Amino acid sequence: MAKGMDCTRDIPTERVDFPRTTRLLDEIAMEAREAAGNESMTDAQVAERVETILLDKIKEGDKAAIFQLGLLYFHQDQFTKAINLFARAKDYDYQSAFMYGIMKYDGLGTEVNMKEGLECMLMISNSETRLAKHLIPAARYNIGRAYYQGFGEMQSDSEAEKWFLLAADDGNPKASVKAQSVLGMFYSRLDSEFHDLKKAFFWHSEACGNGSLESQGAIGVMYSIGIGVKRDIDAAYICLKEASERGNVYAMGNLVTLYYKSKLYTKACDLGYKVAQLNEEDVPTLAVETDCLPYYIAKGIAMACFIYARCLIFGHSLKPDKDLAEAYYSKCYKFDPDMCALLQHTCQQGAI
Protein backbone atom coordinates (compact mmCIF):
# COMPACT_ATOMS: atom_id res chain seq x y z
CA MET A 1 0.00 0.00 0.00
CA ALA A 2 1.23 3.50 -0.75
CA LYS A 3 2.63 5.59 2.08
CA GLY A 4 0.37 8.57 1.40
CA MET A 5 0.46 11.51 -0.98
CA ASP A 6 3.53 13.71 -0.98
CA CYS A 7 3.39 17.08 -2.73
CA THR A 8 5.40 16.85 -5.94
CA ARG A 9 6.96 20.03 -7.33
CA ASP A 10 4.91 19.55 -10.48
CA ILE A 11 1.63 21.02 -9.24
CA PRO A 12 -0.65 22.77 -11.73
CA THR A 13 -1.69 26.37 -12.12
CA GLU A 14 -5.10 27.26 -10.77
CA ARG A 15 -7.29 28.83 -13.39
CA VAL A 16 -10.58 30.63 -12.97
CA ASP A 17 -13.86 30.12 -14.77
CA PHE A 18 -15.39 33.25 -16.23
CA PRO A 19 -19.06 32.23 -16.53
CA ARG A 20 -20.40 35.68 -17.43
CA THR A 21 -17.97 36.04 -20.32
CA THR A 22 -18.53 32.46 -21.42
CA ARG A 23 -22.30 32.97 -21.41
CA LEU A 24 -21.89 36.15 -23.44
CA LEU A 25 -19.75 34.34 -26.03
CA ASP A 26 -22.34 31.57 -26.21
CA GLU A 27 -25.11 34.14 -26.72
CA ILE A 28 -23.20 35.83 -29.54
CA ALA A 29 -22.59 32.44 -31.15
CA MET A 30 -26.26 31.52 -30.86
CA GLU A 31 -27.36 34.81 -32.40
CA ALA A 32 -24.92 34.31 -35.28
CA ARG A 33 -26.19 30.80 -35.93
CA GLU A 34 -29.87 31.76 -35.71
CA ALA A 35 -29.57 34.80 -37.97
CA ALA A 36 -31.43 34.57 -41.25
CA GLY A 37 -29.64 32.31 -43.70
CA ASN A 38 -27.10 31.08 -41.14
CA GLU A 39 -28.86 27.99 -39.81
CA SER A 40 -26.38 25.67 -41.56
CA MET A 41 -23.22 27.40 -40.34
CA THR A 42 -20.45 25.10 -39.15
CA ASP A 43 -18.84 25.54 -35.73
CA ALA A 44 -15.76 27.02 -37.40
CA GLN A 45 -17.89 29.54 -39.28
CA VAL A 46 -19.72 30.49 -36.09
CA ALA A 47 -16.37 31.00 -34.31
CA GLU A 48 -15.21 33.26 -37.15
CA ARG A 49 -18.43 35.26 -36.90
CA VAL A 50 -18.01 35.69 -33.13
CA GLU A 51 -14.43 36.81 -33.69
CA THR A 52 -15.57 39.39 -36.26
CA ILE A 53 -18.26 40.76 -33.93
CA LEU A 54 -15.76 41.15 -31.06
CA LEU A 55 -13.16 42.77 -33.30
CA ASP A 56 -15.78 45.30 -34.41
CA LYS A 57 -16.62 46.01 -30.76
CA ILE A 58 -12.95 46.58 -29.97
CA LYS A 59 -12.68 49.04 -32.89
CA GLU A 60 -15.68 50.87 -31.46
CA GLY A 61 -13.85 51.26 -28.14
CA ASP A 62 -15.46 48.46 -26.14
CA LYS A 63 -12.69 47.60 -23.68
CA ALA A 64 -14.53 44.57 -22.27
CA ALA A 65 -14.44 42.98 -25.72
CA ILE A 66 -10.64 42.78 -25.53
CA PHE A 67 -10.81 40.31 -22.65
CA GLN A 68 -13.74 38.47 -24.25
CA LEU A 69 -11.85 37.92 -27.49
CA GLY A 70 -8.69 36.98 -25.58
CA LEU A 71 -10.62 34.34 -23.68
CA LEU A 72 -12.13 33.04 -26.93
CA TYR A 73 -8.64 32.68 -28.43
CA PHE A 74 -7.38 31.04 -25.23
CA HIS A 75 -10.08 28.36 -25.34
CA GLN A 76 -9.23 27.79 -29.00
CA ASP A 77 -5.55 27.27 -28.04
CA GLN A 78 -4.59 30.34 -30.07
CA PHE A 79 -2.28 31.37 -27.25
CA THR A 80 -0.20 34.01 -29.05
CA LYS A 81 -3.32 35.95 -30.08
CA ALA A 82 -4.77 35.53 -26.60
CA ILE A 83 -1.76 36.82 -24.66
CA ASN A 84 -1.39 39.82 -26.96
CA LEU A 85 -4.95 40.85 -26.13
CA PHE A 86 -4.53 40.21 -22.40
CA ALA A 87 -1.34 42.31 -22.50
CA ARG A 88 -3.33 45.23 -23.94
CA ALA A 89 -5.88 45.14 -21.12
CA LYS A 90 -3.91 43.88 -18.08
CA ASP A 91 -3.15 47.33 -16.65
CA TYR A 92 -6.83 48.18 -16.16
CA ASP A 93 -8.62 44.81 -16.26
CA TYR A 94 -7.90 42.33 -13.47
CA GLN A 95 -9.24 39.35 -15.40
CA SER A 96 -6.85 40.09 -18.27
CA ALA A 97 -4.01 40.48 -15.75
CA PHE A 98 -4.86 37.08 -14.27
CA MET A 99 -4.87 35.33 -17.62
CA TYR A 100 -1.70 37.15 -18.70
CA GLY A 101 -0.03 36.03 -15.47
CA ILE A 102 -0.79 32.33 -15.84
CA MET A 103 0.25 32.38 -19.50
CA LYS A 104 3.55 34.02 -18.61
CA TYR A 105 4.14 31.54 -15.79
CA ASP A 106 3.32 28.48 -17.89
CA GLY A 107 4.81 29.71 -21.16
CA LEU A 108 1.58 29.62 -23.17
CA GLY A 109 2.01 31.68 -26.33
CA THR A 110 5.14 33.24 -24.87
CA GLU A 111 8.44 32.44 -23.19
CA VAL A 112 8.22 31.41 -19.54
CA ASN A 113 8.62 34.39 -17.23
CA MET A 114 7.87 33.34 -13.65
CA LYS A 115 8.69 36.78 -12.27
CA GLU A 116 6.23 38.58 -14.53
CA GLY A 117 3.56 35.99 -13.82
CA LEU A 118 4.12 36.40 -10.09
CA GLU A 119 3.86 40.20 -10.34
CA CYS A 120 0.40 39.89 -11.92
CA MET A 121 -0.81 37.57 -9.16
CA LEU A 122 0.58 39.86 -6.42
CA MET A 123 -1.20 42.84 -7.96
CA ILE A 124 -4.50 40.94 -7.86
CA SER A 125 -3.93 39.63 -4.33
CA ASN A 126 -3.19 43.12 -3.01
CA SER A 127 -6.24 44.67 -4.64
CA GLU A 128 -9.18 45.76 -2.50
CA THR A 129 -11.60 46.35 -5.36
CA ARG A 130 -14.60 44.07 -5.74
CA LEU A 131 -13.62 43.60 -9.41
CA ALA A 132 -10.70 41.43 -8.28
CA LYS A 133 -12.41 39.63 -5.39
CA HIS A 134 -13.31 36.48 -7.35
CA LEU A 135 -9.70 36.17 -8.56
CA ILE A 136 -7.88 36.54 -5.24
CA PRO A 137 -8.00 32.93 -3.91
CA ALA A 138 -6.67 31.51 -7.19
CA ALA A 139 -4.07 34.29 -7.44
CA ARG A 140 -2.82 33.50 -3.93
CA TYR A 141 -2.63 29.79 -4.75
CA ASN A 142 -0.59 30.64 -7.85
CA ILE A 143 1.75 32.82 -5.76
CA GLY A 144 2.22 29.86 -3.42
CA ARG A 145 2.92 27.65 -6.39
CA ALA A 146 5.51 30.13 -7.67
CA TYR A 147 7.42 30.04 -4.38
CA TYR A 148 7.04 26.26 -4.11
CA GLN A 149 8.35 25.61 -7.61
CA GLY A 150 10.69 28.58 -7.80
CA PHE A 151 14.42 28.52 -8.27
CA GLY A 152 17.29 30.15 -6.39
CA GLU A 153 16.24 32.84 -3.95
CA MET A 154 12.68 32.70 -5.23
CA GLN A 155 12.13 29.14 -3.94
CA SER A 156 10.76 29.13 -0.41
CA ASP A 157 8.61 26.46 1.20
CA SER A 158 7.77 28.82 4.07
CA GLU A 159 6.49 31.47 1.65
CA ALA A 160 4.63 28.78 -0.28
CA GLU A 161 2.96 27.61 2.93
CA LYS A 162 1.96 31.18 3.81
CA TRP A 163 0.32 31.80 0.45
CA PHE A 164 -1.34 28.39 0.26
CA LEU A 165 -2.87 29.05 3.70
CA LEU A 166 -4.12 32.46 2.58
CA ALA A 167 -5.63 30.89 -0.53
CA ALA A 168 -7.22 28.06 1.48
CA ASP A 169 -8.88 30.55 3.86
CA ASP A 170 -9.54 28.14 6.76
CA GLY A 171 -11.40 25.72 4.50
CA ASN A 172 -13.84 28.27 3.08
CA PRO A 173 -15.68 26.52 0.20
CA LYS A 174 -15.48 29.77 -1.80
CA ALA A 175 -11.71 29.90 -1.36
CA SER A 176 -9.14 27.88 -3.33
CA VAL A 177 -10.05 24.22 -2.92
CA LYS A 178 -6.91 23.37 -4.89
CA ALA A 179 -4.85 25.13 -2.20
CA GLN A 180 -6.61 23.11 0.50
CA SER A 181 -5.79 19.87 -1.31
CA VAL A 182 -2.19 20.90 -1.99
CA LEU A 183 -1.73 21.74 1.70
CA GLY A 184 -2.76 18.16 2.48
CA MET A 185 0.07 16.93 0.27
CA PHE A 186 2.45 19.69 1.40
CA TYR A 187 2.27 18.48 5.02
CA SER A 188 2.63 14.82 3.96
CA ARG A 189 6.24 15.13 2.74
CA LEU A 190 8.46 12.85 4.78
CA ASP A 191 11.69 14.73 4.02
CA SER A 192 10.33 18.14 4.98
CA GLU A 193 10.48 20.25 8.12
CA PHE A 194 6.78 20.91 7.49
CA HIS A 195 5.88 17.21 7.83
CA ASP A 196 2.70 17.03 9.91
CA LEU A 197 0.24 14.25 9.11
CA LYS A 198 -2.51 15.61 11.35
CA LYS A 199 -2.43 18.87 9.39
CA ALA A 200 -2.33 16.83 6.18
CA PHE A 201 -5.47 14.94 7.16
CA PHE A 202 -7.21 18.16 8.24
CA TRP A 203 -6.59 19.89 4.93
CA HIS A 204 -7.48 16.87 2.82
CA SER A 205 -10.72 16.66 4.82
CA GLU A 206 -11.49 20.32 4.17
CA ALA A 207 -10.75 19.95 0.47
CA CYS A 208 -12.76 16.72 0.22
CA GLY A 209 -15.73 18.39 1.88
CA ASN A 210 -15.49 21.13 -0.74
CA GLY A 211 -15.48 18.65 -3.63
CA SER A 212 -11.82 17.76 -4.21
CA LEU A 213 -11.58 14.35 -5.87
CA GLU A 214 -7.82 14.20 -5.29
CA SER A 215 -8.23 14.71 -1.55
CA GLN A 216 -11.05 12.18 -1.30
CA GLY A 217 -8.66 9.52 -2.58
CA ALA A 218 -5.92 10.75 -0.26
CA ILE A 219 -8.19 10.42 2.78
CA GLY A 220 -9.01 6.86 1.76
CA VAL A 221 -5.31 6.05 1.65
CA MET A 222 -4.70 7.69 5.03
CA TYR A 223 -7.53 5.68 6.63
CA SER A 224 -6.28 2.45 5.08
CA ILE A 225 -2.75 2.91 6.45
CA GLY A 226 -3.57 4.83 9.61
CA ILE A 227 -1.47 7.92 8.97
CA GLY A 228 -2.68 11.24 10.34
CA VAL A 229 -5.79 9.46 11.59
CA LYS A 230 -6.68 6.18 13.32
CA ARG A 231 -6.69 3.24 10.89
CA ASP A 232 -10.24 2.49 9.77
CA ILE A 233 -10.65 0.00 6.93
CA ASP A 234 -14.40 0.60 6.63
CA ALA A 235 -13.83 4.35 6.19
CA ALA A 236 -11.02 3.59 3.75
CA TYR A 237 -13.34 1.43 1.64
CA ILE A 238 -16.00 4.14 1.57
CA CYS A 239 -13.60 6.93 0.57
CA LEU A 240 -11.68 4.90 -1.99
CA LYS A 241 -14.82 3.45 -3.55
CA GLU A 242 -16.53 6.85 -3.85
CA ALA A 243 -13.37 8.46 -5.23
CA SER A 244 -12.94 5.58 -7.68
CA GLU A 245 -16.51 5.93 -8.92
CA ARG A 246 -15.81 9.63 -9.52
CA GLY A 247 -12.74 8.79 -11.63
CA ASN A 248 -9.77 9.03 -9.23
CA VAL A 249 -7.29 6.51 -10.70
CA TYR A 250 -4.97 6.63 -7.68
CA ALA A 251 -7.94 5.70 -5.49
CA MET A 252 -8.73 2.85 -7.90
CA GLY A 253 -5.20 1.47 -7.58
CA ASN A 254 -5.38 1.60 -3.80
CA LEU A 255 -8.85 0.06 -3.81
CA VAL A 256 -7.61 -2.83 -5.99
CA THR A 257 -4.82 -3.42 -3.48
CA LEU A 258 -7.22 -3.26 -0.55
CA TYR A 259 -9.55 -5.76 -2.25
CA TYR A 260 -6.63 -8.11 -2.82
CA LYS A 261 -5.39 -7.87 0.76
CA SER A 262 -8.93 -8.57 1.96
CA LYS A 263 -9.04 -11.66 -0.32
CA LEU A 264 -11.84 -10.13 -2.38
CA TYR A 265 -10.13 -11.50 -5.46
CA THR A 266 -12.98 -11.19 -7.95
CA LYS A 267 -13.35 -7.47 -7.17
CA ALA A 268 -9.57 -7.03 -7.27
CA CYS A 269 -9.38 -8.73 -10.67
CA ASP A 270 -12.30 -6.84 -12.19
CA LEU A 271 -11.19 -3.37 -11.15
CA GLY A 272 -7.50 -4.20 -11.59
CA TYR A 273 -8.05 -5.28 -15.20
CA LYS A 274 -10.10 -2.15 -15.96
CA VAL A 275 -7.42 0.23 -14.65
CA ALA A 276 -4.55 -1.81 -16.12
CA GLN A 277 -5.91 -1.15 -19.63
CA LEU A 278 -5.03 2.54 -19.32
CA ASN A 279 -1.97 3.72 -21.21
CA GLU A 280 0.49 6.61 -21.00
CA GLU A 281 -1.45 8.72 -23.49
CA ASP A 282 -4.53 8.47 -21.24
CA VAL A 283 -2.82 10.15 -18.28
CA PRO A 284 -2.88 13.81 -19.46
CA THR A 285 -6.54 13.53 -20.49
CA LEU A 286 -7.51 11.96 -17.15
CA ALA A 287 -5.58 14.66 -15.29
CA VAL A 288 -7.67 17.36 -16.98
CA GLU A 289 -10.97 15.50 -16.58
CA THR A 290 -10.49 14.72 -12.88
CA ASP A 291 -8.21 17.60 -11.79
CA CYS A 292 -5.83 15.01 -10.33
CA LEU A 293 -2.04 15.04 -10.62
CA PRO A 294 -0.60 12.94 -13.47
CA TYR A 295 2.06 11.67 -11.04
CA TYR A 296 -0.56 9.93 -8.91
CA ILE A 297 -2.63 8.76 -11.86
CA ALA A 298 0.48 6.89 -13.05
CA LYS A 299 0.93 5.39 -9.58
CA GLY A 300 -2.68 4.19 -9.57
CA ILE A 301 -2.21 2.46 -12.92
CA ALA A 302 1.04 0.87 -11.71
CA MET A 303 -0.67 -0.52 -8.59
CA ALA A 304 -3.53 -1.99 -10.62
CA CYS A 305 -1.11 -3.61 -13.09
CA PHE A 306 0.87 -5.22 -10.26
CA ILE A 307 -2.16 -6.60 -8.43
CA TYR A 308 -3.76 -7.86 -11.64
CA ALA A 309 -0.49 -9.63 -12.43
CA ARG A 310 -0.61 -11.27 -8.99
CA CYS A 311 -4.11 -12.51 -9.75
CA LEU A 312 -2.84 -14.01 -13.02
CA ILE A 313 0.15 -15.69 -11.35
CA PHE A 314 -1.85 -17.36 -8.60
CA GLY A 315 -5.10 -17.92 -10.48
CA HIS A 316 -7.20 -15.75 -8.18
CA SER A 317 -10.58 -15.68 -9.97
CA LEU A 318 -8.66 -16.12 -13.22
CA LYS A 319 -6.98 -18.87 -15.17
CA PRO A 320 -3.25 -18.69 -14.33
CA ASP A 321 -1.20 -17.07 -17.10
CA LYS A 322 2.42 -16.38 -16.19
CA ASP A 323 3.31 -14.85 -19.55
CA LEU A 324 0.48 -12.33 -19.35
CA ALA A 325 1.36 -11.66 -15.72
CA GLU A 326 4.91 -10.79 -16.72
CA ALA A 327 3.54 -8.30 -19.27
CA TYR A 328 1.55 -6.54 -16.54
CA TYR A 329 4.51 -6.58 -14.14
CA SER A 330 6.54 -4.90 -16.88
CA LYS A 331 3.78 -2.34 -17.42
CA CYS A 332 3.75 -1.61 -13.69
CA TYR A 333 7.50 -0.98 -13.74
CA LYS A 334 7.16 1.21 -16.84
CA PHE A 335 4.58 3.43 -15.16
CA ASP A 336 6.31 3.70 -11.79
CA PRO A 337 9.52 1.80 -10.92
CA ASP A 338 9.41 2.97 -7.29
CA MET A 339 5.83 1.76 -6.81
CA CYS A 340 6.75 -1.55 -8.44
CA ALA A 341 9.68 -1.99 -6.05
CA LEU A 342 7.53 -1.04 -3.04
CA LEU A 343 4.84 -3.53 -3.94
CA GLN A 344 7.40 -6.25 -4.61
CA HIS A 345 8.95 -5.60 -1.18
CA THR A 346 5.47 -5.73 0.38
CA CYS A 347 4.91 -9.13 -1.24
CA GLN A 348 8.23 -10.42 0.08
CA GLN A 349 7.20 -9.32 3.56
CA GLY A 350 3.96 -11.26 3.21
CA ALA A 351 1.75 -8.18 3.52
CA ILE A 352 0.15 -8.91 0.13
Side-chain angles (χ1 to χ4, degrees):
M1 189 68 73
K3 66 179 182 299
M5 292 184 72
D6 291 348
C7 192
T8 68
R9 294 289 169 184
D10 188 24
I11 58 174
T13 298
E14 179 161 15
R15 298 180 182 178
V16 172
D17 293 327
F18 301 100
R20 293 177 65 181
T21 300
T22 302
R23 282 197 301 272
L24 177 63
L25 294 175
D26 288 342
E27 288 170 5
I28 294 173
M30 187 178 298
E31 289 174 5
R33 190 181 292 278
E34 292 178 349
N38 291 337
E39 293 84 354
S40 61
M41 289 177 70
T42 65
D43 289 342
Q45 289 172 327
V46 171
E48 288 179 8
R49 179 59 183 153
V50 173
E51 178 185 27
T52 300
I53 291 171
L54 291 174
L55 284 170
D56 287 343
K57 287 187 174 187
I58 291 171
K59 288 178 183 178
E60 293 168 1
D62 186 342
K63 290 185 176 181
I66 297 175
F67 172 73
Q68 293 159 7
L69 183 57
L71 194 63
L72 178 68
Y73 286 145
F74 184 86
H75 289 317
Q76 294 175 339
D77 292 341
Q78 297 187 57
F79 295 132
T80 301
K81 287 184 176 181
I83 198 167
N84 287 337
L85 285 167
F86 294 141
R88 284 176 60 181
K90 67 181 177 66
D91 291 335
Y92 63 83
D93 179 66
Y94 287 102
Q95 294 187 145
S96 292
F98 183 89
M99 293 301 298
Y100 182 82
I102 66 170
M103 294 184 78
K104 275 292 182 179
Y105 191 98
D106 289 335
L108 300 174
T110 182
E111 292 184 357
V112 172
N113 189 323
M114 294 175 67
K115 183 179 178 181
E116 196 170 356
L118 180 60
E119 287 173 352
C120 288
M121 297 302 159
L122 285 168
M123 179 191 74
I124 292 166
S125 177
N126 293 331
S127 174
E128 295 182 357
T129 175
R130 63 177 183 82
L131 297 175
K133 186 176 180 181
H134 63 300
L135 303 169
I136 289 175
R140 288 175 173 172
Y141 165 87
N142 289 329
I143 295 168
R145 179 195 183 217
Y147 280 113
Y148 186 65
Q149 293 182 325
F151 49 86
E153 293 182 0
M154 186 176 176
Q155 201 289 320
S156 170
D157 280 6
S158 60
E159 282 294 304
E161 180 193 36
K162 181 184 83 173
W163 286 101
F164 286 148
L165 287 169
L166 284 171
D169 192 20
D170 293 326
N172 184 344
K174 294 183 179 180
S176 170
V177 178
K178 192 180 291 291
Q180 295 162 12
S181 186
V182 164
L183 280 167
M185 291 183 274
F186 180 86
Y187 291 123
S188 296
R189 297 173 301 154
L190 292 173
D191 59 348
S192 166
E193 63 180 291
F194 297 92
H195 181 66
D196 188 325
L197 291 174
K198 288 186 177 180
K199 285 185 179 180
F201 183 79
F202 170 80
W203 281 111
H204 276 312
S205 297
E206 294 296 301
C208 178
N210 291 327
S212 170
L213 179 55
E214 187 108 77
S215 282
Q216 186 175 34
I219 290 173
V221 174
M222 297 180 84
Y223 271 125
S224 68
I225 306 171
I227 56 173
V229 66
K230 184 178 179 181
R231 189 166 185 258
D232 187 332
I233 295 300
D234 289 338
Y237 270 124
I238 292 170
C239 287
L240 291 174
K241 191 170 185 299
E242 288 182 357
S244 296
E245 290 171 350
R246 293 175 62 201
N248 185 322
V249 178
Y250 184 61
M252 293 179 198
N254 278 278
L255 184 57
V256 170
T257 308
L258 198 55
Y259 281 149
Y260 190 90
K261 290 181 70 174
S262 301
K263 297 186 168 77
L264 299 171
Y265 296 127
T266 299
K267 289 186 176 182
C269 289
D270 289 347
L271 183 56
Y273 174 78
K274 175 185 173 182
V275 180
Q277 303 317 298
L278 295 171
N279 295 306
E280 286 180 294
E281 58 267 25
D282 296 316
V283 173
T285 301
L286 288 167
V288 173
E289 290 177 352
T290 63
D291 198 22
C292 292
L293 292 174
Y295 177 79
Y296 283 103
I297 293 173
K299 283 188 177 295
I301 297 171
M303 295 175 78
C305 287
F306 189 96
I307 297 300
Y308 186 65
R310 294 279 294 179
C311 291
L312 287 165
I313 285 286
F314 296 104
H316 293 313
S317 299
L318 293 167
K319 182 180 178 180
D321 189 331
K322 291 188 177 180
D323 291 337
L324 188 56
E326 285 300 321
Y328 281 106
Y329 279 135
S330 296
K331 189 172 182 178
C332 170
Y333 183 84
K334 179 180 178 182
F335 266 96
D336 195 315
D338 292 338
M339 178 59 73
C340 188
L342 175 63
L343 289 169
Q344 186 62 44
H345 176 73
T346 305
C347 288
Q348 292 169 351
Q349 299 297 313
I352 293 182

